[in-house]
Amino acid sequence: MTQSLTIARPDDWHLHLRDGAMMQAVLPETARHFGRGIIMPNLVPPVVTGAQAAAYRERILAALPEGMTFDPQMVLYLTEDTDPEDVAAAHASGLVKAVKLYPAGATTNSASGVQNFDNVRPVLEKMAEIGLHLCVHGEVTNHDVDIFDREAVFIDRILDPIRKATPELRVIMEHITTKDGVDYAKSGGDNLGATITTHHLIINRNHILAGGIKPHYYCLPVAKREKHRLALRAAATSGDKTFFLGTDSAPHTDENKLLPCGCAGCFTATNTMALLAHVFEEEDALDKLEGFASKHGPAFYGLPVNDSTITLTKSDTATTFPEKIKSADGPVTVFDPGFPVFWDVT
Ligand code: DOR
Ligand code: ZN
C-alpha cells in the first residue's frame, strides 16, 4: 500500500554547509528538498562581518548545481568585537537574517565566540531595536558543569538574564535537547522560538554509548536521556508554532569523526524529510509535519512559506539511503536511524 503526503517545501533553520569541496558535496543534499536554510557561520575563519557574509553567500550560490534552487539565509557570527553598526547595515541591506551566539569553546569552531556576555550587550540592544533575530547555541562551557546539564544551566545563567534585559529581542533556542529547553521555550512568549533536529527526535544517550561508542551519533548539544527525547518528540509533533525544524546537519569526514578526539556533528541532510515522516507517523501526527518543517519557521522569521511543494511517499519496501556522501575531502557518513524507514521524498 502506498501512502503519500504533499507539503509546502520545507526550510532548514539551522544548517552547516561548510565551504570549498565539502560544501560542493553537501549542498545538493539539502537543496534537493529544502527551499531555504539558515547558514551557520562557524567557518575557519568565522563569518563575522557583512562583507564576509556577502562573499560566503556568493560562494554558496556558485556551488549550487544547475537546475537546483536554494536561498541561503545568511548569519553573522557574534564576537565580543562585533560592531553594532556593521550588523545593522548587513540587516538593512537584506543580506543577513540572524546573528549567532556561540559561547566560546562550546562547539566546532567556536573559539571566537562570547566569553563575557556583557561585552555583546550593545549588539543585542541594536538587534532588538532593528528586529534582527539572535540564534543561540545554548550550552555553558564551564568545566565544572556536567555536559548533560549544560543546556539547563545555560537557560538559567545566561539566556534568561539576556531575555529579561532585552525582552524585545527575538531569540531562537537552537537544537534544544532537553525537557527544560522545551518548557522554557513554551513559556517564552512570541519573541522566543526553538529549533529541534531530526536526530534528537531519534536518539538518546544510550544510542551513543551503550554497546560500544558510536562516533556518528556524537553531536553537540549531546543527546540526553530518553525522557528528554520524548519531550522533544511531543513538542515537535504538537503543532505549537514555537517549535520548528533546524537539522543542524553538520558534515565532517569519517577521518575526522573516527579519531581519539572526534568531531561533533550528525549529517542528516540526505534523509531528514523521510526520517521526520517516520517519526511523525509514529506519533500519529503526520498532519503536523508541514507546520514543523515548512510553516512555523517562516512565521517566526517573518518570511513567506515556500510556494512550491514536496511529496513524501510511503511504500512497502524500506528506502535505501546512501551510506556515505563522497567529497574531495573524504567520505561523510549519512545519519543511520538504526531502523528501516519506508518513507521517501518522491
Ligand atoms: O554537533 C555539532 N556540530 N554541533 C554544533 O554546534 C556544531 C556542529 C559543527 O559545526 O560541526
Ligand atoms: Zn550547528
Side-chain angles (χ1 to χ4, degrees), residues 96-150:
V96 155
K97 297 296 187 309
V99 172
K100 171 80 186 234
L101 187 161
Y102 285 106
T107 187
T108 310
N109 304 332
S110 60
S112 321
V114 179
Q115 237 160 356
N116 182 345
F117 293 86
D118 290 338
N119 292 343
V120 295
R121 284 235 50 83
V123 184
L124 301 184
E125 274 156 27
K126 177 55 89 178
M127 289 169 62
E129 180 194 319
I130 63 180
L132 179 57
H133 295 59
L134 181 72
C135 294
V136 177
H137 183 112
E139 289 187 288
V140 293
T141 54
N142 313 56
H143 296 294
D144 60 335
V145 179
D146 189 282
I147 191 163
F148 292 102
D149 299 332
R150 288 181 179 189

Side-chain angles (χ1 to χ4, degrees), residues 121 125 159-168:
R121 284 235 50 83
E125 274 156 27
L159 182 58
D160 196 55
I162 286 179
R163 296 192 57 250
K164 289 213 166 96
T166 329
E168 316 77 34

Side-chain angles (χ1 to χ4, degrees), residues 56-309:
Y56 186 28
R57 184 179 153 84
E58 289 310 312
R59 296 199 297 280
I60 297 169
L61 294 176
L64 200 57
E66 223 175 289
M68 278 191 169
T69 54
F70 182 68
D71 186 4
Q73 309 289 299
M74 305 314 292
V75 178
L76 298 181
Y77 184 119
L78 182 61
T79 73
E80 292 183 23
D81 298 322
T82 295
D83 173 5
E85 293 314 319
D86 180 63
V87 169
H91 175 247
S93 74
L95 171 71
V96 155
K97 297 296 187 309
V99 172
K100 171 80 186 234
L101 187 161
Y102 285 106
T107 187
T108 310
N109 304 332
S110 60
S112 321
V114 179
Q115 237 160 356
N116 182 345
F117 293 86
D118 290 338
N119 292 343
V120 295
R121 284 235 50 83
V123 184
L124 301 184
E125 274 156 27
K126 177 55 89 178
M127 289 169 62
E129 180 194 319
I130 63 180
L132 179 57
H133 295 59
L134 181 72
C135 294
V136 177
H137 183 112
E139 289 187 288
V140 293
T141 54
N142 313 56
H143 296 294
D144 60 335
V145 179
D146 189 282
I147 191 163
F148 292 102
D149 299 332
R150 288 181 179 189
E151 181 169 299
V153 172
F154 182 88
I155 292 169
D156 287 346
R157 287 192 196 164
I158 313 287
L159 182 58
D160 196 55
I162 286 179
R163 296 192 57 250
K164 289 213 166 96
T166 329
E168 316 77 34
L169 183 63
R170 286 175 72 71
V171 175
I172 298 104
M173 298 171 71
E174 299 198 286
H175 44 52
I176 54 170
T177 58
T178 57
K179 181 172 184 310
D180 313 67
V182 167
D183 292 344
Y184 186 78
K186 264 194 207 159
S187 68
D190 290 348
N191 286 342
L192 188 61
T195 61
I196 301 178
T197 75
T198 307
H199 51 283
H200 287 117
L201 297 173
I202 294 174
I203 59 168
N204 64 30
R205 63 195 202 179
N206 277 11
H207 291 86
I208 311 170
L209 296 170
I213 190 157
K214 319 291 189 320
H216 293 299
Y217 287 158
Y218 171 62
C219 69
L220 288 169
V222 70
K224 309 295 192 300
R225 289 178 177 276
E226 179 65 355
K227 76 163 190 191
H228 296 294
R229 185 184 74 99
L230 295 178
L232 296 172
R233 277 202 172 213
T237 59
S238 66
D240 184 337
K241 292 177 78 155
T242 307
F243 302 103
F244 44 96
L245 175 62
T247 67
D248 198 10
S249 182
H252 292 279
T253 60
D254 285 352
E255 192 186 357
N256 288 333
K257 288 290 290 176
L258 306 176
L259 287 173
C261 183
C263 293
C266 296
F267 180 70
T268 56
T270 307
N271 52 2
T272 272
M273 290 313 300
L275 298 182
L276 287 176
H278 178 102
V279 166
F280 277 63
E281 185 184 35
E282 270 184 353
E283 300 293 326
D284 204 12
L286 273 176
D287 60 324
K288 302 293 195 308
L289 179 57
E290 185 179 48
F292 179 71
S294 316
K295 290 190 163 171
H296 302 168
F300 193 82
Y301 277 92
L303 296 168
V305 172
N306 291 314
D307 50 21
S308 59
T309 59

